[in-house]
Amino acid sequence: METENHRQSVCRPIRLLHRIEDGLLVLILLSMIFLAFGQIVLRNVFDTGFIWIDPLLRVMVLWIGLVGALVATRENKQISVDVLTRLLSPRQKAISQIITRLFAASVSGLIAWHAFWFVIDEWGMGDKAFANIPAWLLEAVIPLGFGVIALRYLCEVVSGIYWLIRGHES
Amino acid sequence: MIFAVILILLALLGAPLFSIIGSSALWGFHNADIDLQVVAIEIYRLADMPVLLAIPLFTFAGYVLGESQAPGRLVRMTNALLGWMPGGLAIVSLIACALFTAFTGASGVTIVALGALLYPALKHAGYADRFNLGLITTSGSLGLLFAPSLPLILYGVVAQQVSLDTPVSIDDLFLAGILPGMLMLALLSAWSIWNKPPQHTQVKVDRKEMLAAIKDAAWEIPLPILILGGIYGGYVVVSEAAAVTAVYVLIVEVFIKREIPLRELPRIIRESMTLVGAIIIILGVSLASTNYLVDAEVPSQLFETIRTHIDNKWTFLILLNLFLLVLGMMLDIFSALVIIIPIILPIAAGYGIHPVHLGLIFLANMQLGYFTPPVGMNLFIASHRFNKPVMELYMASLPFFFILLFAVLVITYWPSLSLFLIT
Protein backbone atom coordinates (compact mmCIF):
# COMPACT_ATOMS: atom_id res chain seq x y z
CA MET A 1 0.00 0.00 0.00
CA GLU A 2 3.05 2.26 -0.08
CA THR A 3 2.09 3.20 -3.61
CA GLU A 4 -1.25 4.41 -2.29
CA ASN A 5 0.38 6.76 0.18
CA HIS A 6 2.73 8.11 -2.41
CA ARG A 7 -0.05 8.67 -4.84
CA GLN A 8 -1.60 10.97 -2.35
CA SER A 9 1.53 12.79 -1.32
CA VAL A 10 2.68 13.53 -4.85
CA CYS A 11 -0.68 14.34 -6.38
CA ARG A 12 -1.75 16.67 -3.62
CA PRO A 13 -5.49 16.46 -3.48
CA ILE A 14 -7.03 19.56 -4.93
CA ARG A 15 -9.47 19.82 -2.10
CA LEU A 16 -11.76 22.38 -3.62
CA LEU A 17 -12.26 20.29 -6.76
CA HIS A 18 -13.03 17.23 -4.64
CA ARG A 19 -15.53 19.21 -2.60
CA ILE A 20 -17.24 20.43 -5.76
CA GLU A 21 -17.45 16.87 -7.10
CA ASP A 22 -18.93 15.53 -3.87
CA GLY A 23 -21.31 18.48 -3.69
CA LEU A 24 -22.45 17.90 -7.27
CA LEU A 25 -23.24 14.25 -6.51
CA VAL A 26 -25.40 15.25 -3.54
CA LEU A 27 -27.09 18.06 -5.44
CA ILE A 28 -27.85 16.01 -8.56
CA LEU A 29 -29.07 12.93 -6.69
CA LEU A 30 -31.36 14.84 -4.33
CA SER A 31 -32.80 16.84 -7.26
CA MET A 32 -33.34 13.62 -9.17
CA ILE A 33 -35.26 12.07 -6.28
CA PHE A 34 -37.28 15.25 -5.78
CA LEU A 35 -38.09 15.78 -9.47
CA ALA A 36 -38.86 12.14 -10.24
CA PHE A 37 -41.12 11.80 -7.22
CA GLY A 38 -42.70 15.19 -7.85
CA GLN A 39 -43.53 14.21 -11.41
CA ILE A 40 -45.27 11.01 -10.20
CA VAL A 41 -47.35 12.99 -7.71
CA LEU A 42 -48.23 15.64 -10.30
CA ARG A 43 -49.17 13.02 -12.85
CA ASN A 44 -51.26 10.77 -10.62
CA VAL A 45 -52.79 13.19 -8.15
CA PHE A 46 -53.15 16.40 -10.12
CA ASP A 47 -53.27 14.86 -13.58
CA THR A 48 -50.64 17.27 -14.88
CA GLY A 49 -46.85 17.46 -15.11
CA PHE A 50 -43.96 19.38 -16.64
CA ILE A 51 -42.68 18.12 -19.97
CA TRP A 52 -39.14 19.29 -19.21
CA ILE A 53 -38.80 17.06 -16.12
CA ASP A 54 -38.40 13.75 -18.00
CA PRO A 55 -35.62 14.85 -20.40
CA LEU A 56 -33.92 16.69 -17.54
CA LEU A 57 -33.95 13.53 -15.41
CA ARG A 58 -32.42 11.54 -18.27
CA VAL A 59 -29.60 14.07 -18.68
CA MET A 60 -29.03 13.99 -14.93
CA VAL A 61 -28.32 10.25 -15.18
CA LEU A 62 -25.48 11.06 -17.61
CA TRP A 63 -24.20 13.80 -15.33
CA ILE A 64 -24.31 11.84 -12.09
CA GLY A 65 -22.77 8.87 -13.88
CA LEU A 66 -19.80 10.84 -15.17
CA VAL A 67 -19.26 12.82 -11.96
CA GLY A 68 -19.53 9.50 -10.09
CA ALA A 69 -16.91 8.10 -12.45
CA LEU A 70 -14.60 11.03 -11.62
CA VAL A 71 -14.91 10.20 -7.96
CA ALA A 72 -14.46 6.50 -8.68
CA THR A 73 -11.17 7.32 -10.43
CA ARG A 74 -10.09 9.48 -7.52
CA GLU A 75 -10.84 6.73 -5.00
CA ASN A 76 -9.40 4.00 -7.19
CA LYS A 77 -12.78 2.31 -7.46
CA GLN A 78 -13.07 1.95 -11.23
CA ILE A 79 -14.04 -1.59 -12.10
CA SER A 80 -11.06 -3.67 -13.16
CA VAL A 81 -9.84 -7.26 -13.12
CA ASP A 82 -7.55 -7.97 -10.20
CA VAL A 83 -6.77 -11.63 -10.79
CA LEU A 84 -3.16 -11.07 -11.70
CA THR A 85 -2.31 -7.91 -9.76
CA ARG A 86 -3.01 -9.74 -6.50
CA LEU A 87 0.06 -11.90 -7.11
CA LEU A 88 2.51 -9.12 -7.96
CA SER A 89 5.24 -7.69 -5.73
CA PRO A 90 4.95 -3.98 -4.81
CA ARG A 91 7.53 -3.06 -7.45
CA GLN A 92 5.86 -5.11 -10.19
CA LYS A 93 2.56 -3.67 -9.09
CA ALA A 94 3.88 -0.13 -9.45
CA ILE A 95 5.16 -0.89 -12.95
CA SER A 96 1.88 -2.46 -14.05
CA GLN A 97 0.05 0.53 -12.59
CA ILE A 98 2.15 2.94 -14.60
CA ILE A 99 1.45 1.03 -17.82
CA THR A 100 -2.28 0.57 -17.26
CA ARG A 101 -2.85 4.14 -15.99
CA LEU A 102 -0.97 5.55 -18.95
CA PHE A 103 -3.23 3.51 -21.21
CA ALA A 104 -6.38 4.65 -19.37
CA ALA A 105 -5.22 8.26 -19.51
CA SER A 106 -4.68 8.09 -23.28
CA VAL A 107 -8.05 6.46 -23.96
CA SER A 108 -9.90 8.93 -21.71
CA GLY A 109 -7.95 11.80 -23.26
CA LEU A 110 -8.83 10.67 -26.80
CA ILE A 111 -12.51 10.38 -25.92
CA ALA A 112 -12.39 13.82 -24.25
CA TRP A 113 -10.70 15.33 -27.33
CA HIS A 114 -13.29 14.02 -29.80
CA ALA A 115 -16.13 14.83 -27.42
CA PHE A 116 -14.78 18.38 -27.19
CA TRP A 117 -15.06 18.85 -30.97
CA PHE A 118 -18.47 17.24 -30.91
CA VAL A 119 -19.60 19.82 -28.34
CA ILE A 120 -18.07 22.67 -30.41
CA ASP A 121 -19.97 21.45 -33.49
CA GLU A 122 -23.19 21.30 -31.52
CA TRP A 123 -22.53 24.80 -30.20
CA GLY A 124 -22.16 26.00 -33.77
CA MET A 125 -25.45 24.44 -34.75
CA GLY A 126 -27.22 25.99 -31.78
CA ASP A 127 -29.67 23.13 -31.17
CA LYS A 128 -31.89 23.32 -28.11
CA ALA A 129 -32.37 20.22 -25.97
CA PHE A 130 -35.50 21.15 -24.01
CA ALA A 131 -36.90 24.19 -22.22
CA ASN A 132 -34.60 26.34 -24.37
CA ILE A 133 -31.46 24.87 -22.83
CA PRO A 134 -28.74 24.60 -25.51
CA ALA A 135 -27.81 20.97 -26.17
CA TRP A 136 -24.07 21.63 -26.13
CA LEU A 137 -24.25 22.71 -22.49
CA LEU A 138 -25.67 19.36 -21.43
CA GLU A 139 -23.20 17.46 -23.61
CA ALA A 140 -20.24 19.39 -22.21
CA VAL A 141 -20.05 16.99 -19.27
CA ILE A 142 -18.60 14.31 -21.56
CA PRO A 143 -15.35 16.11 -22.54
CA LEU A 144 -15.11 17.60 -19.05
CA GLY A 145 -15.58 14.27 -17.30
CA PHE A 146 -13.24 12.26 -19.50
CA GLY A 147 -10.73 15.13 -19.48
CA VAL A 148 -10.49 15.20 -15.70
CA ILE A 149 -10.32 11.40 -15.59
CA ALA A 150 -7.42 11.51 -18.07
CA LEU A 151 -5.57 14.10 -15.97
CA ARG A 152 -6.16 12.08 -12.84
CA TYR A 153 -4.65 8.95 -14.39
CA LEU A 154 -1.74 10.96 -15.78
CA CYS A 155 -1.12 12.24 -12.30
CA GLU A 156 -0.99 8.65 -11.02
CA VAL A 157 1.50 7.75 -13.72
CA VAL A 158 3.79 10.58 -12.65
CA SER A 159 3.60 9.67 -8.98
CA GLY A 160 4.10 5.99 -9.84
CA ILE A 161 7.33 6.80 -11.68
CA TYR A 162 8.38 9.06 -8.81
CA TRP A 163 7.79 6.22 -6.36
CA LEU A 164 9.79 3.78 -8.49
CA ILE A 165 12.80 6.11 -8.56
CA ARG A 166 12.68 7.50 -5.04
CA GLY A 167 10.93 4.75 -3.13
CA HIS A 168 13.18 2.10 -4.57
CA GLU A 169 16.33 3.79 -3.27
CA SER A 170 15.21 4.20 0.30
CA MET B 1 -5.67 -9.68 -33.56
CA ILE B 2 -2.52 -8.28 -31.96
CA PHE B 3 -4.63 -5.40 -30.72
CA ALA B 4 -7.02 -7.81 -28.99
CA VAL B 5 -4.16 -9.65 -27.31
CA ILE B 6 -2.71 -6.37 -26.03
CA LEU B 7 -6.10 -5.35 -24.68
CA ILE B 8 -6.56 -8.63 -22.82
CA LEU B 9 -3.09 -8.31 -21.36
CA LEU B 10 -3.76 -4.76 -20.21
CA ALA B 11 -7.07 -5.86 -18.68
CA LEU B 12 -5.32 -8.66 -16.77
CA LEU B 13 -2.74 -6.17 -15.51
CA GLY B 14 -5.59 -4.18 -13.97
CA ALA B 15 -6.39 -1.45 -16.50
CA PRO B 16 -9.82 0.01 -15.77
CA LEU B 17 -12.31 -1.90 -17.93
CA PHE B 18 -13.98 1.21 -19.32
CA SER B 19 -10.67 2.12 -20.96
CA ILE B 20 -10.38 -1.36 -22.49
CA ILE B 21 -13.91 -1.23 -23.92
CA GLY B 22 -13.51 2.41 -24.95
CA SER B 23 -10.28 1.74 -26.80
CA SER B 24 -11.82 -1.15 -28.73
CA ALA B 25 -14.64 1.18 -29.84
CA LEU B 26 -12.15 3.90 -30.86
CA TRP B 27 -10.03 1.36 -32.73
CA GLY B 28 -13.01 -0.18 -34.51
CA PHE B 29 -14.45 3.12 -35.70
CA HIS B 30 -11.01 4.40 -36.67
CA ASN B 31 -10.42 1.36 -38.91
CA ALA B 32 -13.85 1.80 -40.44
CA ASP B 33 -12.94 5.40 -41.31
CA ILE B 34 -15.71 6.81 -39.15
CA ASP B 35 -15.22 10.14 -37.38
CA LEU B 36 -14.41 9.38 -33.76
CA GLN B 37 -16.90 11.98 -32.57
CA VAL B 38 -19.31 9.07 -32.90
CA VAL B 39 -18.00 7.73 -29.58
CA ALA B 40 -19.13 10.91 -27.81
CA ILE B 41 -22.48 10.77 -29.58
CA GLU B 42 -22.93 7.17 -28.42
CA ILE B 43 -22.02 8.07 -24.84
CA TYR B 44 -24.57 10.87 -24.97
CA ARG B 45 -27.20 8.22 -25.65
CA LEU B 46 -26.99 7.50 -21.91
CA ALA B 47 -29.22 10.58 -21.63
CA ASP B 48 -31.76 8.95 -23.88
CA MET B 49 -32.78 5.90 -21.85
CA PRO B 50 -35.50 6.54 -19.31
CA VAL B 51 -34.96 3.22 -17.51
CA LEU B 52 -31.40 4.13 -16.49
CA LEU B 53 -32.87 6.48 -13.90
CA ALA B 54 -33.62 3.36 -11.87
CA ILE B 55 -29.91 2.60 -11.42
CA PRO B 56 -28.86 5.57 -9.22
CA LEU B 57 -32.17 5.60 -7.34
CA PHE B 58 -32.28 1.89 -6.46
CA THR B 59 -28.56 1.87 -5.60
CA PHE B 60 -28.97 4.82 -3.27
CA ALA B 61 -32.01 3.22 -1.59
CA GLY B 62 -30.04 -0.02 -1.14
CA TYR B 63 -27.09 1.79 0.45
CA VAL B 64 -29.38 3.67 2.84
CA LEU B 65 -31.06 0.41 3.87
CA GLY B 66 -27.66 -1.19 4.39
CA GLU B 67 -26.52 1.62 6.68
CA SER B 68 -29.69 1.52 8.79
CA GLN B 69 -30.78 -1.15 11.26
CA ALA B 70 -33.01 -2.71 8.59
CA PRO B 71 -30.77 -5.79 8.11
CA GLY B 72 -31.15 -6.61 11.82
CA ARG B 73 -34.92 -6.23 11.67
CA LEU B 74 -35.06 -8.39 8.57
CA VAL B 75 -33.16 -11.20 10.31
CA ARG B 76 -35.28 -10.89 13.44
CA MET B 77 -38.52 -11.11 11.50
CA THR B 78 -37.58 -14.05 9.29
CA ASN B 79 -36.26 -15.81 12.38
CA ALA B 80 -39.49 -15.28 14.30
CA LEU B 81 -41.50 -16.56 11.36
CA LEU B 82 -39.33 -19.48 10.21
CA GLY B 83 -36.90 -20.16 13.05
CA TRP B 84 -39.01 -23.06 14.41
CA MET B 85 -38.42 -25.22 11.32
CA PRO B 86 -35.61 -27.82 11.26
CA GLY B 87 -32.64 -25.99 9.79
CA GLY B 88 -34.70 -22.89 10.40
CA LEU B 89 -31.93 -20.43 11.15
CA ALA B 90 -29.99 -21.43 8.04
CA ILE B 91 -33.10 -20.99 5.90
CA VAL B 92 -33.67 -17.63 7.59
CA SER B 93 -30.17 -16.62 6.59
CA LEU B 94 -30.73 -17.65 2.99
CA ILE B 95 -34.00 -15.74 2.63
CA ALA B 96 -32.76 -12.63 4.43
CA CYS B 97 -29.61 -12.53 2.28
CA ALA B 98 -31.56 -13.07 -0.94
CA LEU B 99 -33.93 -10.20 -0.17
CA PHE B 100 -31.11 -7.93 0.87
CA THR B 101 -29.01 -8.71 -2.20
CA ALA B 102 -31.94 -8.06 -4.52
CA PHE B 103 -31.99 -4.52 -3.17
CA THR B 104 -28.29 -3.81 -2.88
CA GLY B 105 -27.10 -5.63 -6.02
CA ALA B 106 -24.54 -8.27 -5.08
CA SER B 107 -21.62 -5.97 -4.38
CA GLY B 108 -20.38 -7.78 -1.31
CA VAL B 109 -22.51 -5.57 0.95
CA THR B 110 -24.62 -8.57 1.95
CA ILE B 111 -21.68 -10.50 3.38
CA VAL B 112 -20.45 -7.50 5.31
CA ALA B 113 -23.85 -6.27 6.57
CA LEU B 114 -25.76 -9.51 7.16
CA GLY B 115 -22.89 -11.94 7.59
CA ALA B 116 -21.81 -10.15 10.75
CA LEU B 117 -25.24 -10.87 12.27
CA LEU B 118 -25.81 -14.36 10.91
CA TYR B 119 -22.40 -15.99 11.33
CA PRO B 120 -22.30 -15.80 15.14
CA ALA B 121 -26.00 -16.71 15.37
CA LEU B 122 -25.51 -19.85 13.26
CA LYS B 123 -22.48 -20.82 15.32
CA HIS B 124 -24.45 -20.35 18.51
CA ALA B 125 -27.24 -22.57 17.19
CA GLY B 126 -24.71 -25.39 16.77
CA TYR B 127 -24.15 -25.47 13.01
CA ALA B 128 -20.72 -26.63 11.86
CA ASP B 129 -18.29 -23.78 11.22
CA ARG B 130 -17.49 -24.89 7.70
CA PHE B 131 -21.18 -25.01 6.81
CA ASN B 132 -21.72 -21.49 8.16
CA LEU B 133 -18.84 -20.02 6.19
CA GLY B 134 -20.02 -21.68 3.00
CA LEU B 135 -23.58 -20.53 3.56
CA ILE B 136 -22.67 -16.89 4.15
CA THR B 137 -20.24 -16.77 1.22
CA THR B 138 -22.85 -18.29 -1.11
CA SER B 139 -25.60 -16.01 0.15
CA GLY B 140 -23.60 -12.95 -0.84
CA SER B 141 -24.75 -13.31 -4.42
CA LEU B 142 -28.05 -15.10 -3.79
CA GLY B 143 -31.00 -12.96 -4.80
CA LEU B 144 -29.42 -11.67 -7.99
CA LEU B 145 -32.37 -13.08 -9.92
CA PHE B 146 -34.98 -11.25 -7.84
CA ALA B 147 -36.33 -7.80 -8.69
CA PRO B 148 -35.15 -5.07 -8.49
CA SER B 149 -31.56 -6.30 -8.67
CA LEU B 150 -29.22 -4.06 -10.64
CA PRO B 151 -27.84 -6.79 -12.93
CA LEU B 152 -31.38 -7.72 -14.01
CA ILE B 153 -32.10 -4.10 -14.98
CA LEU B 154 -28.76 -3.72 -16.72
CA TYR B 155 -29.31 -6.90 -18.73
CA GLY B 156 -32.60 -5.43 -19.96
CA VAL B 157 -30.89 -2.17 -20.94
CA VAL B 158 -28.09 -3.91 -22.84
CA ALA B 159 -30.44 -6.40 -24.52
CA GLN B 160 -32.58 -3.53 -25.78
CA GLN B 161 -29.53 -2.15 -27.63
CA VAL B 162 -29.32 -5.26 -29.73
CA SER B 163 -32.29 -5.22 -32.05
CA LEU B 164 -34.05 -8.56 -31.94
CA ASP B 165 -37.32 -10.01 -33.12
CA THR B 166 -38.35 -10.70 -29.53
CA PRO B 167 -38.19 -7.49 -27.50
CA VAL B 168 -36.87 -7.72 -23.93
CA SER B 169 -38.78 -5.80 -21.30
CA ILE B 170 -37.45 -5.30 -17.80
CA ASP B 171 -40.87 -6.10 -16.36
CA ASP B 172 -40.64 -9.52 -18.03
CA LEU B 173 -37.15 -10.06 -16.61
CA PHE B 174 -38.41 -9.24 -13.12
CA LEU B 175 -41.15 -11.86 -13.48
CA ALA B 176 -38.92 -14.44 -15.12
CA GLY B 177 -36.40 -14.35 -12.28
CA ILE B 178 -38.87 -15.40 -9.61
CA LEU B 179 -39.08 -19.17 -10.21
CA PRO B 180 -35.37 -19.77 -10.95
CA GLY B 181 -34.50 -17.74 -7.85
CA MET B 182 -36.95 -19.79 -5.80
CA LEU B 183 -35.38 -22.99 -7.13
CA MET B 184 -31.98 -21.89 -5.84
CA LEU B 185 -33.47 -21.00 -2.46
CA ALA B 186 -35.33 -24.34 -2.23
CA LEU B 187 -32.25 -26.42 -3.07
CA LEU B 188 -30.07 -24.55 -0.57
CA SER B 189 -32.80 -24.84 2.08
CA ALA B 190 -32.93 -28.60 1.58
CA TRP B 191 -29.15 -28.74 2.04
CA SER B 192 -29.53 -26.66 5.23
CA ILE B 193 -32.10 -29.06 6.67
CA TRP B 194 -29.76 -31.95 5.87
CA ASN B 195 -26.97 -30.13 7.73
CA LYS B 196 -28.95 -29.08 10.78
CA PRO B 197 -27.07 -29.48 14.06
CA PRO B 198 -27.45 -32.97 15.63
CA GLN B 199 -28.46 -31.65 19.05
CA HIS B 200 -31.08 -29.50 17.43
CA THR B 201 -33.29 -28.10 20.15
CA GLN B 202 -36.81 -27.52 18.97
CA VAL B 203 -37.43 -23.80 18.98
CA LYS B 204 -41.03 -23.16 20.03
CA VAL B 205 -43.28 -21.00 17.94
CA ASP B 206 -43.39 -17.75 19.88
CA ARG B 207 -46.43 -15.79 18.78
CA LYS B 208 -45.52 -12.82 20.94
CA GLU B 209 -42.06 -12.52 19.36
CA MET B 210 -43.60 -13.02 15.93
CA LEU B 211 -45.91 -10.06 16.42
CA ALA B 212 -43.19 -7.92 17.96
CA ALA B 213 -40.77 -8.68 15.12
CA ILE B 214 -43.37 -7.90 12.48
CA LYS B 215 -44.23 -4.67 14.24
CA ASP B 216 -40.54 -3.80 14.44
CA ALA B 217 -40.13 -4.25 10.68
CA ALA B 218 -43.52 -2.75 9.84
CA TRP B 219 -41.96 0.09 7.85
CA GLU B 220 -39.81 -2.15 5.66
CA ILE B 221 -42.37 -4.90 4.97
CA PRO B 222 -44.35 -2.82 2.41
CA LEU B 223 -41.21 -2.21 0.29
CA PRO B 224 -41.17 -5.38 -1.85
CA ILE B 225 -44.94 -5.13 -2.21
CA LEU B 226 -44.66 -1.48 -3.19
CA ILE B 227 -42.08 -2.21 -5.88
CA LEU B 228 -43.36 -5.48 -7.32
CA GLY B 229 -47.03 -4.63 -6.89
CA GLY B 230 -46.51 -1.21 -8.43
CA ILE B 231 -44.70 -2.57 -11.48
CA TYR B 232 -46.77 -5.70 -12.14
CA GLY B 233 -50.00 -3.91 -11.32
CA GLY B 234 -49.16 -1.47 -14.08
CA TYR B 235 -49.25 1.56 -11.76
CA VAL B 236 -45.63 2.62 -12.25
CA VAL B 237 -42.74 1.87 -14.62
CA VAL B 238 -39.42 0.62 -13.24
CA SER B 239 -37.80 4.06 -12.96
CA GLU B 240 -40.83 5.45 -11.14
CA ALA B 241 -40.80 2.50 -8.74
CA ALA B 242 -37.16 3.38 -8.05
CA ALA B 243 -38.08 7.01 -7.31
CA VAL B 244 -40.85 5.95 -4.92
CA THR B 245 -38.47 3.51 -3.21
CA ALA B 246 -35.78 6.15 -2.77
CA VAL B 247 -38.21 8.64 -1.26
CA TYR B 248 -39.81 6.01 0.97
CA VAL B 249 -36.50 4.65 2.28
CA LEU B 250 -35.16 8.16 2.83
CA ILE B 251 -38.20 9.22 4.84
CA VAL B 252 -38.38 6.01 6.89
CA GLU B 253 -34.71 5.55 7.80
CA VAL B 254 -33.74 9.21 8.14
CA PHE B 255 -36.84 10.95 9.45
CA ILE B 256 -39.09 8.32 11.05
CA LYS B 257 -36.64 5.73 12.41
CA ARG B 258 -33.86 8.33 12.66
CA GLU B 259 -31.19 5.67 12.26
CA ILE B 260 -29.17 7.66 9.76
CA PRO B 261 -28.23 11.18 10.83
CA LEU B 262 -28.60 13.81 8.12
CA ARG B 263 -24.88 14.62 8.20
CA GLU B 264 -24.14 11.04 7.09
CA LEU B 265 -26.20 11.38 3.91
CA PRO B 266 -23.50 13.08 1.78
CA ARG B 267 -21.11 10.21 2.51
CA ILE B 268 -23.73 7.58 1.66
CA ILE B 269 -24.57 9.45 -1.54
CA ARG B 270 -20.91 9.65 -2.50
CA GLU B 271 -20.27 5.95 -1.83
CA SER B 272 -23.34 4.78 -3.72
CA MET B 273 -22.81 7.15 -6.65
CA THR B 274 -19.18 6.04 -6.97
CA LEU B 275 -20.47 2.57 -7.74
CA VAL B 276 -23.10 4.01 -10.09
CA GLY B 277 -20.42 6.08 -11.86
CA ALA B 278 -18.19 3.06 -12.31
CA ILE B 279 -21.11 1.18 -13.91
CA ILE B 280 -22.44 4.06 -16.02
CA ILE B 281 -19.07 4.88 -17.59
CA ILE B 282 -18.65 1.23 -18.61
CA LEU B 283 -22.18 1.22 -20.01
CA GLY B 284 -21.49 4.47 -21.89
CA VAL B 285 -18.37 3.29 -23.71
CA SER B 286 -19.99 -0.07 -24.35
CA LEU B 287 -22.85 1.67 -26.20
CA ALA B 288 -20.17 2.79 -28.65
CA SER B 289 -18.46 -0.59 -28.90
CA THR B 290 -21.81 -2.38 -29.28
CA ASN B 291 -22.82 -0.02 -32.05
CA TYR B 292 -19.56 -0.83 -33.82
CA LEU B 293 -20.03 -4.59 -33.38
CA VAL B 294 -23.55 -4.44 -34.78
CA ASP B 295 -22.45 -2.21 -37.67
CA ALA B 296 -19.63 -4.55 -38.53
CA GLU B 297 -22.03 -7.50 -38.27
CA VAL B 298 -19.65 -9.30 -35.94
CA PRO B 299 -22.33 -11.33 -34.12
CA SER B 300 -23.95 -12.63 -37.32
CA GLN B 301 -20.57 -13.61 -38.79
CA LEU B 302 -19.67 -15.31 -35.54
CA PHE B 303 -22.98 -17.14 -35.60
CA GLU B 304 -22.29 -18.45 -39.13
CA THR B 305 -18.90 -19.73 -38.04
CA ILE B 306 -20.21 -21.36 -34.89
CA ARG B 307 -23.13 -22.94 -36.71
CA THR B 308 -20.85 -24.88 -38.99
CA HIS B 309 -19.41 -26.58 -35.89
CA ILE B 310 -22.36 -26.76 -33.53
CA ASP B 311 -25.62 -27.75 -35.10
CA ASN B 312 -27.97 -27.92 -32.17
CA LYS B 313 -29.17 -25.71 -29.36
CA TRP B 314 -28.25 -28.12 -26.56
CA THR B 315 -24.59 -28.44 -27.47
CA PHE B 316 -24.48 -24.67 -27.77
CA LEU B 317 -25.97 -24.31 -24.28
CA ILE B 318 -23.41 -26.68 -22.75
CA LEU B 319 -20.57 -24.68 -24.27
CA LEU B 320 -22.25 -21.46 -23.20
CA ASN B 321 -22.43 -22.66 -19.59
CA LEU B 322 -18.75 -23.56 -19.58
CA PHE B 323 -17.78 -20.25 -21.15
CA LEU B 324 -19.89 -18.19 -18.72
CA LEU B 325 -18.54 -20.06 -15.69
CA VAL B 326 -14.98 -19.19 -16.63
CA LEU B 327 -16.00 -15.65 -17.53
CA GLY B 328 -17.74 -15.21 -14.17
CA MET B 329 -14.51 -16.12 -12.40
CA MET B 330 -12.57 -13.43 -14.24
CA LEU B 331 -14.92 -10.51 -14.76
CA ASP B 332 -17.37 -8.76 -12.50
CA ILE B 333 -21.00 -9.09 -13.47
CA PHE B 334 -21.45 -5.58 -14.89
CA SER B 335 -18.47 -5.62 -17.24
CA ALA B 336 -19.23 -9.17 -18.31
CA LEU B 337 -22.75 -8.06 -19.15
CA VAL B 338 -21.88 -5.12 -21.38
CA ILE B 339 -19.00 -6.91 -23.11
CA ILE B 340 -20.48 -10.34 -23.74
CA ILE B 341 -24.25 -9.91 -24.06
CA PRO B 342 -24.20 -7.85 -27.30
CA ILE B 343 -22.14 -10.64 -28.89
CA ILE B 344 -23.89 -13.76 -27.60
CA LEU B 345 -27.48 -12.51 -27.58
CA PRO B 346 -27.86 -12.54 -31.39
CA ILE B 347 -26.04 -15.88 -31.57
CA ALA B 348 -28.31 -17.39 -28.92
CA ALA B 349 -31.34 -15.98 -30.74
CA GLY B 350 -30.07 -17.76 -33.86
CA TYR B 351 -30.31 -21.04 -31.94
CA GLY B 352 -33.86 -20.16 -30.92
CA ILE B 353 -33.10 -19.25 -27.30
CA HIS B 354 -35.49 -16.69 -25.85
CA PRO B 355 -33.61 -13.50 -24.85
CA VAL B 356 -35.23 -13.46 -21.39
CA HIS B 357 -34.16 -17.08 -20.86
CA LEU B 358 -30.64 -16.22 -21.97
CA GLY B 359 -30.62 -13.40 -19.41
CA LEU B 360 -31.39 -15.80 -16.59
CA ILE B 361 -28.82 -18.33 -17.81
CA PHE B 362 -26.25 -15.55 -17.93
CA LEU B 363 -27.03 -14.10 -14.50
CA ALA B 364 -27.28 -17.52 -12.83
CA ASN B 365 -23.84 -18.43 -14.16
CA MET B 366 -22.42 -15.10 -13.05
CA GLN B 367 -23.89 -15.63 -9.59
CA LEU B 368 -21.91 -18.83 -9.37
CA GLY B 369 -18.79 -17.00 -10.53
CA TYR B 370 -18.91 -14.83 -7.40
CA PHE B 371 -17.71 -17.75 -5.29
CA THR B 372 -15.99 -20.05 -7.76
CA PRO B 373 -12.41 -20.77 -6.68
CA PRO B 374 -9.81 -19.57 -7.14
CA VAL B 375 -10.75 -15.94 -7.82
CA GLY B 376 -14.45 -15.45 -6.95
CA MET B 377 -14.77 -12.05 -5.32
CA ASN B 378 -17.03 -13.10 -2.45
CA LEU B 379 -14.48 -15.68 -1.28
CA PHE B 380 -12.04 -12.86 -0.63
CA ILE B 381 -14.63 -10.60 0.98
CA ALA B 382 -15.69 -13.40 3.34
CA SER B 383 -12.06 -14.32 4.05
CA HIS B 384 -11.38 -10.72 4.99
CA ARG B 385 -14.58 -10.27 6.98
CA PHE B 386 -14.33 -13.45 9.07
CA ASN B 387 -10.57 -13.58 9.24
CA LYS B 388 -10.25 -17.05 7.73
CA PRO B 389 -7.72 -18.28 5.18
CA VAL B 390 -9.11 -18.25 1.64
CA MET B 391 -8.28 -21.98 1.37
CA GLU B 392 -10.80 -22.74 4.11
CA LEU B 393 -13.45 -20.78 2.25
CA TYR B 394 -12.73 -22.71 -0.95
CA MET B 395 -13.47 -25.94 0.90
CA ALA B 396 -16.46 -24.50 2.75
CA SER B 397 -18.26 -23.22 -0.32
CA LEU B 398 -17.59 -26.27 -2.50
CA PRO B 399 -20.81 -28.18 -1.64
CA PHE B 400 -22.81 -25.01 -2.16
CA PHE B 401 -21.10 -24.57 -5.51
CA PHE B 402 -22.26 -27.99 -6.70
CA ILE B 403 -25.81 -27.41 -5.48
CA LEU B 404 -26.09 -24.12 -7.33
CA LEU B 405 -24.32 -25.58 -10.36
CA PHE B 406 -27.17 -28.09 -10.47
CA ALA B 407 -29.65 -25.19 -10.25
CA VAL B 408 -27.86 -23.42 -13.11
CA LEU B 409 -28.14 -26.54 -15.26
CA VAL B 410 -31.86 -26.86 -14.49
CA ILE B 411 -32.37 -23.18 -15.37
CA THR B 412 -30.43 -23.64 -18.60
CA TYR B 413 -32.11 -26.80 -19.89
CA TRP B 414 -35.64 -26.11 -18.65
CA PRO B 415 -36.61 -22.85 -20.39
CA SER B 416 -40.23 -22.96 -19.17
CA LEU B 417 -39.05 -22.44 -15.61
CA SER B 418 -37.98 -18.93 -16.62
CA LEU B 419 -40.60 -18.28 -19.26
CA PHE B 420 -43.64 -19.77 -17.52
CA LEU B 421 -44.68 -16.52 -15.82
CA ILE B 422 -44.31 -14.29 -18.87
CA THR B 423 -46.13 -16.32 -21.51
Side-chain angles (χ1 to χ4, degrees), chain A residues 29-154:
Chain A
L29 185 74
L30 292 181
S31 330
M32 278 168 100
I33 295 175
F34 178 77
L35 288 172
F37 189 70
Q39 183 82 325
I40 296 169
V41 173
L42 285 177
R43 201 168 277 161
N44 293 300
V45 182
F46 301 102
D47 216 15
T48 167
F50 295 105
I51 37 165
W52 52 266
I53 290 186
D54 290 338
L56 177 61
L57 280 170
R58 293 204 297 269
V59 166
M60 282 173 133
V61 172
L62 172 75
W63 277 71
I64 207 161
L66 285 182
V67 178
L70 283 181
V71 179
T73 310
R74 180 177 106 203
E75 300 192 341
N76 205 8
K77 281 188 180 151
Q78 289 286 9
I79 297 174
S80 58
V81 181
D82 59 351
V83 185
L84 226 97
T85 40
R86 239 195 276 273
L87 310 169
L88 300 178
S89 72
R91 195 181 145 77
Q92 289 166 326
K93 217 174 187 167
I95 294 173
S96 87
Q97 280 220 352
I98 292 171
I99 298 170
T100 56
R101 299 304 182 257
L102 192 62
F103 173 74
S106 343
V107 174
S108 314
L110 257 174
I111 294 177
W113 173 254
H114 290 287
F116 173 74
W117 288 108
F118 164 62
V119 171
I120 295 289
D121 282 0
E122 291 275 297
W123 178 70
M125 284 191 273
D127 284 350
K128 301 276 186 267
F130 53 88
N132 257 332
I133 300 174
W136 69 266
L137 200 65
L138 304 173
E139 290 153 356
V141 71
I142 304 173
L144 259 175
F146 279 93
V148 175
I149 289 175
L151 287 178
R152 230 156 235 179
Y153 279 130
L154 213 56

